[in-house]
Amino acid sequence: MFFSGCKDENELGLEILPPGDALSTVFSDTITINTRTLLEDSLRTDELSAQLLGSEKDPVFGLSTASVYTQVNLAGTPSFGVAPVADSLVLILSYSGYYGDTSSLQTVNVYRLSEDMRSDSSYYSSRTFSYDASTLGTATFQPQPNTKVAVASDTLSPQLRITLSQTLADSLVALNGQTPFSSNAEWLTYFKGLFLETVNATGPGSISYFNFFKSSLTIYFHDTDLVSKKYDFSLAGARLNHFSHDYTGSTIGNQLSDSTFGDSLNYVQAIAGVKMKISFPFLKHFLDSGSIIINKAQLSIKPLTSLIPYSLPPKMLLVIKDENGQNAFPLDYYESTGYYGGDLNSTSDGYTFNIARHLQRFIDGKVNNADFYLLVSGSGVDASRATIRSGSNLSDRMKLSLLYTKIN
């Protein structure tokens, strides 16, 4: 119990004792670590806190795009007055952040969905929906996530505004008082939603984050009193991100296409990009001289220093596969707050994980392997990525520090 409560091998005075002399406690940080870059599985992306839209490309991480499918819901029963006339129809997307180079131009096409979405369904980042091929609107723009927008006499929070078809605007006003506006269910039968398609950016590109709770499809109109009015349709219903990647010709592509390819660097990317498999092939050799109790097992991960504007992920996750092949947390995750780790250390630009409990279960034969997978935390709403030094990196390798006690 004394050793299991240990937080740092230095607390035991190991720095001044000969190896193996501290009450049969041994420290090792030369454990072999094998790593590989693998494609990530599709992510569940329905009704998340942010919708991602944009395109970016670089020689390491290839081409990544994020598009959006969304319902457009009623926000109260529309009433357009007497003899209404549509002035314009604008899709208004409220910025909540970004990742990448916002100096590159982006293009977004907007289409009308022809397939139902459901708010009670689970949707993943590979999901697609049918849509009408006629474009409702197109915007080519330089993302400005930190710049307020002037509209008439108002100064508004940073937002992307895409003007849609006047024909659609006219048709919506013509529905005034009719069945499609009688309930949200009737409305969604008539108007199933929108598809926001990202076209490849010019230059490096970026992924913009939007808060759909603060976004809307807004129709501006006037009636016989000639006063300008508006009605905001809500975008806070069923919605999901669709992510796609093309690693052709990129550094990652070389690793993915050759199962025997080894390198001193591996890669982790959010938005259903790539993940890193980490394994310890010779860990059970610690049992060659008898049983052991693992007191502490800390995995230290050192990424390459990030370059502006490609910041490192603020948090990583280290997961295992359960008996069904699904991602699961190791037992260490459920220890006290802060024990498991994964947060970016702002001083060292590194990540650490404590995984003693899972490795003990492996040593004891209670789990079949000690394979882990490194992922970006919140990767459905965060487009960040990292280049990770592997266990064979000569400058600052990935390291497993193991403190254990021989018990026979």
Side-chain angles (χ1 to χ4, degrees):
M1 292 180 65
F2 172 78
F3 288 119
S4 66
C6 172
K7 296 300 181 185
D8 191 323
E9 62 271 16
N10 289 338
E11 294 177 6
L12 299 178
L14 294 181
E15 75 282 4
I16 60 173
L17 293 176
D21 195 32
L23 300 177
S24 299
T25 299
V26 184
F27 175 77
S28 175
D29 64 357
T30 59
I31 298 163
T32 299
I33 302 176
N34 289 345
T35 58
R36 277 201 56 75
T37 302
L38 302 174
L39 286 174
E40 174 60 298
D41 301 322
S42 181
L43 297 172
R44 183 172 173 179
T45 60
D46 55 303
E47 287 83 67
L48 297 182
S49 59
Q51 308 309 130
L52 277 55
L53 191 65
S55 169
E56 59 179 353
K57 184 175 183 178
D58 67 52
V60 175
F61 287 88
L63 174 65
S64 301
T65 59
S67 299
V68 178
Y69 295 95
T70 182
Q71 284 182 335
V72 176
N73 290 333
L74 298 182
T77 303
S79 178
F80 296 125
V82 178
V85 176
D87 297 319
S88 63
L89 182 64
V90 183
L91 181 62
I92 303 172
L93 305 179
S94 178
Y95 282 104
S96 62
Y98 71 97
Y99 187 86
D101 180 2
T102 57
S103 67
S104 303
L105 290 177
Q106 299 275 351
T107 297
V108 173
N109 295 326
V110 182
Y111 303 91
R112 182 171 177 172
L113 292 183
S114 56
E115 180 179 353
D116 289 325
M117 298 181 69
R118 295 179 59 87
S119 58
D120 59 355
S121 295
S122 299
Y123 296 126
Y124 289 78
S125 58
S126 58
R127 180 71 155 86
T128 60
F129 289 82
S130 301
Y131 59 92
D132 189 317
S134 300
T135 307
L136 293 178
T138 297
T140 297
F141 60 98
Q142 180 181 332
Q144 295 183 316
N146 299 314
T147 302
K148 292 186 176 181
V149 176
V151 178
S153 60
D154 296 326
T155 300
L156 307 176
S157 60
Q159 56 189 238
L160 172 63
R161 300 174 67 91
I162 305 175
T163 300
L164 301 188
S165 162
Q166 185 62 40
T167 300
L168 176 58
D170 294 338
S171 70
L172 295 182
V173 167
L175 293 173
N176 191 31
Q178 297 187 27
T179 299
F181 286 155
S182 63
S183 70
N184 198 56
E186 292 287 353
W187 165 249
L188 290 176
T189 299
Y190 173 80
F191 195 91
K192 302 181 185 304
L194 296 173
F195 172 41
L196 284 57
E197 176 196 41
T198 293
V199 180
N200 295 348
T202 60
S206 62
I207 305 291
S208 294
Y209 308 161
F210 294 100
N211 183 344
F212 270 35
F213 286 98
K214 296 182 179 180
S215 302
S216 65
L217 175 64
T218 298
I219 185 165
Y220 296 90
F221 66 96
H222 65 271
D223 56 15
T224 52
D225 63 11
L226 300 181
V227 176
S228 180
K229 302 175 183 178
K230 69 173 185 173
Y231 176 83
D232 297 325
F233 294 90
S234 170
L235 301 183
R239 60 197 186 278
L240 74 142
N241 269 119
H242 176 81
F243 301 134
S244 63
H245 302 273
D246 182 358
Y247 298 111
T248 304
S250 68
T251 303
I252 291 176
N254 294 334
Q255 290 199 11
L256 295 175
S257 62
D258 182 358
S259 61
T260 65
F261 185 88
D263 200 351
S264 62
L265 299 174
N266 293 107
Y267 306 93
V268 178
Q269 182 185 26
I271 58 173
V274 291
K275 59 188 174 185
M276 186 176 181
K277 182 179 180 180
I278 303 169
S279 56
F280 311 101
F282 307 121
L283 195 62
K284 284 206 172 180
H285 283 305
F286 282 95
L287 296 175
D288 290 347
S289 59
S291 299
I292 66 170
I293 294 176
I294 298 176
N295 310 124
K296 181 177 181 180
Q298 187 171 82
L299 182 66
S300 300
I301 297 172
K302 290 289 290 184
L304 294 186
T305 303
S306 62
L307 300 175
I308 296 173
Y310 303 108
S311 58
L312 292 170
K315 186 177 182 63
M316 293 278 203
L317 295 177
L318 196 65
V319 301
I320 57 175
K321 294 291 185 182
D322 64 17
E323 60 274 12
N324 298 315
Q326 301 299 311
N327 287 341
F329 288 112
L331 281 177
D332 305 85
Y333 177 82
Y334 302 100
E335 288 285 349
S336 59
T337 303
Y339 169 80
Y340 167 75
D343 293 314
L344 176 63
N345 186 314
S346 58
T347 301
S348 64
D349 271 354
Y351 306 87
T352 58
F353 293 91
N354 290 293
I355 53 175
R357 292 190 67 183
H358 185 80
L359 294 188
Q360 185 70 59
R361 286 172 59 80
F362 172 67
I363 288 289
D364 293 342
K366 295 180 180 179
V367 294
N368 294 328
N369 62 64
D371 296 339
F372 292 85
Y373 298 86
L374 185 66
L375 316 171
V376 175
S377 180
S379 58
V381 295
D382 176 4
S384 60
R385 66 277 189 107
T387 299
I388 307 293
R389 294 178 173 92
S390 72
S392 61
N393 194 284
L394 298 178
S395 62
D396 203 351
R397 68 181 180 87
M398 181 182 298
K399 184 184 299 184
L400 177 65
S401 299
L402 199 67
L403 182 68
Y404 63 96
T405 302
K406 296 180 180 180
I407 58 176
N408 60 34

